[in-house]
Each structure stands twice: as structure tokens, then as C-alpha cells.
Amino acid sequence: MAAVIAVSTAGSASAYPGPTTRCYPYMACFYFNSNQAGAIATMGEGEYNLDDQIFKANTGAGAGTYLENNAASADSRETSLYYCIHRDRWWSGPYDVLPAQYKMNLVATYNKNSSTTIYHNH
């Protein structure tokens, strides 16, 4: 696990369009419901604490709810970076790995997600 803590944002942060109601290239999107349904929260970099992220208004069930401990699925639009979604803050506890260009229901962190890191697959 220690190998993935090194966070890299090269090639990602500059292309990230900021919080939005759609999932664009170079970002990860988290969904309130399984199968990429319900409200959306977008992210373009790793976060040690998701308690200030909110599911966007008018995007479906769960809109206005805090992202922390409420995401059920995710979608990566990154081209080469992977997201590591941790159950606990400060990149600790069980985690799900969201590969680049991949959609998934969260398993280890289903509705218990508190931080993310991004990294290049080794």
C-alpha cells in the first residue's frame, strides 16, 4: 500500500474543468447510487478528506448530500491515472481501486468512503 501513497497529478490537474454536473475527461465521478446512477460528485485530484465534497444539485437522488460515506459507484475518465478510494480519511483503511477508463460499483468502500489518491499503475 505504501507504494500508492505517492500522489501524482501530472497531466490531470491542468485539464480538469472543475466541479461540474457531468463526467468529463481527466476526472473521476462518484455516484450516490450503484451502476453510475443518482447524484454525481466530480473530482480531478486526490483528497485526504472528502467531507467538503457534495453531490451536485439537480443531478438525481442524493443531490446536496456530502460525498463522504455516501458513494456507491464510480466512473474514471482518466486516461492513465488510477484512483484509490479509501474507507478512512488520510488514505487509510480498506480501499477500492478504480482503473483508468473504468466504471464500477464500490465494494470495499460502498457508502464508506473518506479519501482518494491518484497514481500511475505500476
Side-chain angles (χ1 to χ4, degrees):
M1 179 59 197
V4 298
I5 295 301
V7 177
S8 170
T9 58
S12 167
S14 62
Y16 175 61
T20 173
T21 58
R22 292 188 50 210
C23 199
Y24 289 100
Y26 305 106
M27 67 171 48
C29 299
F30 296 89
Y31 295 87
F32 189 76
N33 294 331
S34 298
N35 302 315
Q36 295 74 48
I40 186 174
T42 59
M43 187 170 302
E45 56 190 34
E47 296 277 339
Y48 69 91
N49 184 356
L50 298 176
D51 72 343
D52 62 346
Q53 303 290 327
I54 297 175
F55 285 101
K56 307 302 180 237
N58 304 315
T59 60
T65 303
Y66 284 97
L67 170 59
E68 184 176 39
N69 296 327
N70 287 305
S73 61
D75 177 6
S76 173
R77 299 295 175 93
E78 285 286 354
T79 57
S80 63
L81 298 176
Y82 282 44
Y83 278 80
C84 192
I85 305 156
H86 298 268
R87 184 191 68 195
D88 302 319
R89 294 179 181 179
W90 292 98
W91 313 293
S92 62
Y95 58 90
D96 286 301
V97 175
L98 176 64
Q101 299 292 307
Y102 194 77
K103 295 178 181 181
M104 65 184 286
N105 289 330
L106 300 175
V107 178
T109 62
Y110 181 86
N111 286 338
K112 290 294 284 178
N113 19 63
S114 296
S115 61
T116 62
T117 54
I118 55 176
Y119 61 97
H120 289 279
N121 189 28
H122 296 280

